Amino acid sequence: EVQLVESGGGLVQPGRSMKLSCAASGFTFSNYGMAWVRQAPTKGLEWVATISYDGSSTYYRDSVKGRFTISRDNAKSTLYLQMNSLRSEDTATYYCTRRSDYWGQGVMVTVSS
Amino acid sequence: DVVLTQTPPTLSATIGQSVSISCRSSQSLLHSNGNTYLNWLLQRPGQPPQLLIYLVSRLESGVPNRFSGSGSGTDFTLKISGVEAEDLGVYYCVQSTHATWTFGGGTKLELK
């Protein structure tokens, strides 16, 4: 059974950093591109970043470029999202997803002083 | 960037009614490899999204066959043939043909 389990969310002050993790199981992680998608309270889904199966290619939405870094450790079957210089508008539930076919339960990130 | 325009934003239906949702793209979603990476998702309240349809028209395993997808290029449709109570929630189209993914704005399906 495919499972994606996010961790690392919580309350953080504006300008600070936070790192999310997504532990994958039930499939060969190193064969798949992965992505982070977020959803602000009462809003729709918003793509954040994508990484290729081997980590060689990464893509970001404009509003997080230069602040967020997506990465992966295929040996640990884990996806990461390093978030720096956080802003109030980054407040959202963050989901990791395998090409939009499998999704984690999500982790809440609240950026507030 | 690709923009996906999803309509209608809200859909009121009775149980058993058939409904359709449109998803129109600002650019072709046909990939150079011949695939069209347009998926349909359902998000029930308080739940993560779940995949219903992938590659425009392929039904995800375990999804009832009252759901169907069609379309090509820039114009896509999700049809539910006989709405059931468990179908209520927000439907999203999503494209991953282009390196930067895009989601439609969502269609909330409610009971009339």
Side-chain angles (χ1 to χ4, degrees), chain A residues 39 44 47 59 95 100-101 103-104, chain B residues 39 41 43 48-49 51 92 99 101:
Chain A
Q39 186 170 36
W47 169 78
Y59 305 92
Y95 297 100
S100 83
D101 57 0
W103 296 72
Chain B
N39 295 350
L41 312 172
Q43 187 175 32
L51 181 67
Y92 295 94
W101 293 14

Side-chain angles (χ1 to χ4, degrees), chain B:
Chain B
D1 286 357
V2 176
V3 175
L4 295 183
T5 301
Q6 206 177 316
T7 56
T10 305
L11 201 47
S12 294
T14 57
I15 300 299
Q17 182 180 351
S18 292
V19 298
S20 293
I21 300 169
S22 169
C23 179
R24 290 184 171 164
S25 174
S26 61
Q27 300 178 33
S28 174
L29 299 184
L30 178 62
H31 194 278
S32 56
N33 66 10
N35 288 328
T36 298
Y37 295 95
L38 188 284
N39 295 350
W40 288 95
L41 312 172
L42 166 60
Q43 187 175 32
R44 297 186 175 97
Q47 296 295 314
Q50 68 169 99
L51 181 67
L52 299 174
I53 301 285
Y54 64 99
L55 294 174
V56 178
S57 60
R58 300 188 186 182
L59 193 66
E60 172 69 353
S61 176
V63 174
N65 61 12
R66 61 179 178 275
F67 291 94
S68 62
S70 63
S72 64
T74 62
D75 205 346
F76 305 92
T77 301
L78 174 71
K79 182 176 181 179
I80 310 173
S81 300
V83 168
E84 297 193 7
E86 66 181 20
D87 301 338
L88 304 184
V90 182
Y91 290 80
Y92 295 94
C93 54
V94 54
Q95 70 81 22
S96 54
T97 292
H98 301 271
T100 54
W101 293 14
T102 321
F103 288 87
T107 295
K108 186 175 183 179
L109 179 61
E110 305 173 323
L111 272 182
K112 189 182 290 183

